[in-house]
Amino acid sequence: MRQSSLVVVANRLPINDNVALDGACEWRRSPGGLVSALHPLLRHTPATWVGWAGGTGPAPTLPDVDGVRMHTVPLSSEDLRDHYEGFANATLWPIYHDAVEQPEHHRRWWDAYQRVNQRFAEATAQVAEKGAVVWVQDYHLQLVPGLLRALRPDLRIGFFLHVPFPPPELFMQLPRRAELLHGMLGADLVGFQRAQAAHNFAQLVTKVLGLPATDRRIAVEDRIVRIGAFPVSIDTAEMAALAGRPEVVDRARRLRHDLGSPDQVILSVDRMDYTKGIEQRLKAYSELLEGGHVKVRDTVLVQVAVPSRERVGQYQILRDRVEREVGRINGEFGRVGEPAIHYLTQPFDRTELAALYRIADVMAVTPLRDGMNLVAKEYVAARVDDAGALLLSEFAGAAAELSQAYLVNPHDLEGLKQGLLAALRAEPADVRARMQAMRAHLREHDIRAWARSYLSTLDQTGLLLTRLGG
Ligand code: ADP
Ligand code: F6P
């Protein structure tokens, strides 16, 4: 078994399943923040990525991708149902996102969560070289740091949570709260998107486990576990370069023409998830149409909503409701050849996404709760012309950094309508000044800066940073 000095452990591998089965692998840019963040970082780094290749049954053997080894962990159909769809996405996901949907608790799901975490820990123990740095990602794998430490005490283990970490009153609902906290404390460094999340974690560790904790350090037996905020980002330069390419500019021009050359385009790009505030946004838009504040001929909304976690009941219900509402709004306000909403559920390649960003006069990113929201950052990076207004929810992690966006509370329908109108009617000079400030921020705080700040805290030898080109 080949071993690596850097191992990333995440629920998903970053490659396209179909292509992988043919033997010709390409990076999968699956619609999701984790792959989008880690992909540009690891390319051409001699690392191993431990993860699930999608599907069920025996794990396929995958070739290296751009110099990164793919080490697959198999999931059975029970694991998929009870670990991924169950405990990860129907218990933890809603609790971590303010319980905007009701979390479900089943003992069978917890058994699967433990079983799958153990399998990931064992796979990682096999591929990590002596003294390696292992970077465990996200809520699917919260027990892995503790399980891995028991198997391989020589490793330097980091854990990073891409989603919000909830306040104690919500986390306390989890029947297995102590085990989950213990699992995370197996890491040497536990990273969050925001300082508030690190604070919530410290409070819980004291309350549930009785350990002395500050927002930076926790004493666990004979070890110190460091905690902190490391807001994840994107490859700003790559998105800017892509958005400036002549074929993207050309594609953007054609897209605008195909939309009927409206005065203004509003764009939203989300996974179809109840945390993204899609229904609230549609309602706000519909009321603006109804009140005559926006007119279909002058303004169009392009809503991209790629299906996600399609076998989970709450996601099926959401999709039905969104599609019914889009149909209603188009039926009521559209005309022949002029729909009020252009609704797209396809995954797009990066070029098409960049072209869409470039035609969006207003980018509406209004989640009810979101760990970061990389779409907001991609939009800003793509606006190399300094144009375009970002309408951003206060409840997205990105709002802490992109404070020059037009900030809204998506729970407040009137506020959302006013925010949308303000962004649509903003003075070009104001729009430009805000965009320039946000672009300057992202040029400095890109994905490499994120990795530098996290890995230099985790691995004080600095060796990894040199390898990642930091
Ligand atoms: P989340 O992690 O909850 O999915 P983020 O906004 O952080 O949310 O990340 C979403 C990522 O998925 C972004 O990089 C975005 O470009 C990508 N994405 C979203 N929708 C699509 C789509 N239809 N096609 C391709 N990529 C998409
Ligand atoms: O950011 C949260 C997250 O669960 C990521 O781990 C993942 O990139 C994204 O959402 C998409 O989710 P899934 O892997 O369930 O398709």
Side-chain angles (χ1 to χ4, degrees), residues 212-228:
T214 69
D215 290 3
R216 301 175 71 96
R217 296 155 74 87
I218 300 170
V220 185
E221 292 158 9
D222 56 345
R223 298 185 299 124
I224 293 294
V225 177
R226 303 185 64 175
I227 63 176

Side-chain angles (χ1 to χ4, degrees), residues 29-37 93 97 162-163 232 234 239 269-271 273 275-276 304-306 308-309 344-350 353 357 365 370-376 378:
R29 291 299 296 248
S30 69
L34 191 150
V35 168
S36 292
W93 181 268
H97 290 85
H162 290 254
V163 300
V232 74
I234 58 163
M239 178 50 87
V269 176
D270 308 281
R271 267 186 316 100
D273 198 300
T275 59
K276 301 290 181 183
V304 179
V306 65
S308 179
R309 306 171 190 167
L344 303 158
T345 57
Q346 305 133 50
F348 292 115
D349 64 23
R350 306 299 292 168
L353 275 179
Y357 291 146
V365 181
D370 211 330
M372 175 52 63
N373 199 291
L374 294 182
V375 165
E378 288 170 358

Side-chain angles (χ1 to χ4, degrees), residues 114-225:
Q114 285 177 291
R115 177 171 80 232
V116 171
N117 273 251
Q118 181 69 38
R119 198 174 306 146
F120 269 83
E122 283 167 12
T124 308
Q126 280 181 357
V127 298
E129 182 177 291
K130 189 163 176 42
V133 169
V134 174
W135 199 359
V136 184
Q137 313 285 324
D138 233 355
Y139 60 101
H140 317 83
L141 301 176
Q142 275 173 229
L143 304 180
V144 168
L147 296 168
L148 187 58
R149 180 168 295 281
L151 293 169
R152 291 285 306 271
D154 60 297
L155 301 174
R156 192 91 187 134
I157 304 171
F159 178 80
F160 184 77
L161 188 70
H162 290 254
V163 300
F165 191 76
E169 57 273 23
L170 276 177
F171 191 86
M172 291 301 282
Q173 290 179 13
L174 286 164
R176 310 313 285 253
R177 57 206 185 191
E179 287 95 326
L180 287 163
L181 295 172
H182 259 306
M184 292 165 83
L185 288 174
D188 296 292
L189 173 63
V190 180
F192 298 94
Q193 300 279 22
R194 303 190 61 167
Q196 181 62 47
H199 178 69
N200 292 345
F201 183 69
Q203 278 195 311
L204 275 159
V205 159
T206 304
K207 191 177 167 81
V208 178
L209 305 178
L211 294 173
T214 69
D215 290 3
R216 301 175 71 96
R217 296 155 74 87
I218 300 170
V220 185
E221 292 158 9
D222 56 345
R223 298 185 299 124
I224 293 294
V225 177

Side-chain angles (χ1 to χ4, degrees), residues 211-329:
L211 294 173
T214 69
D215 290 3
R216 301 175 71 96
R217 296 155 74 87
I218 300 170
V220 185
E221 292 158 9
D222 56 345
R223 298 185 299 124
I224 293 294
V225 177
R226 303 185 64 175
I227 63 176
F230 303 88
V232 74
S233 196
I234 58 163
D235 190 336
T236 311
E238 182 190 69
M239 178 50 87
L242 178 63
R245 293 228 300 251
E247 64 268 30
V248 171
V249 176
D250 223 49
R251 177 69 190 138
R253 204 171 296 128
R254 269 183 298 130
L255 274 171
R256 198 163 191 115
H257 174 263
D258 292 348
L259 288 171
S261 303
D263 293 342
Q264 288 193 299
V265 176
I266 306 168
L267 172 69
S268 287
V269 176
D270 308 281
R271 267 186 316 100
M272 179 72 84
D273 198 300
Y274 51 81
T275 59
K276 301 290 181 183
I278 302 172
E279 289 184 277
Q280 289 75 0
R281 193 186 304 142
L282 291 178
K283 187 154 180 53
Y285 186 59
S286 160
E287 288 196 8
L288 288 177
L289 286 167
E290 203 175 339
H293 303 286
V294 292
K295 302 238 178 327
V296 167
R297 177 153 296 169
D298 309 330
T299 308
V300 299
L301 169 63
V302 179
Q303 172 68 64
V304 179
V306 65
S308 179
R309 306 171 190 167
E310 291 175 78
R311 299 195 322 174
V312 178
Q314 288 160 334
Y315 287 75
Q316 291 169 349
I317 293 169
L318 173 74
R319 184 170 182 177
D320 285 350
R321 287 165 57 142
V322 164
E323 299 196 339
R324 217 179 17 248
E325 188 60 4
V326 169
R328 184 193 68 78
I329 295 171

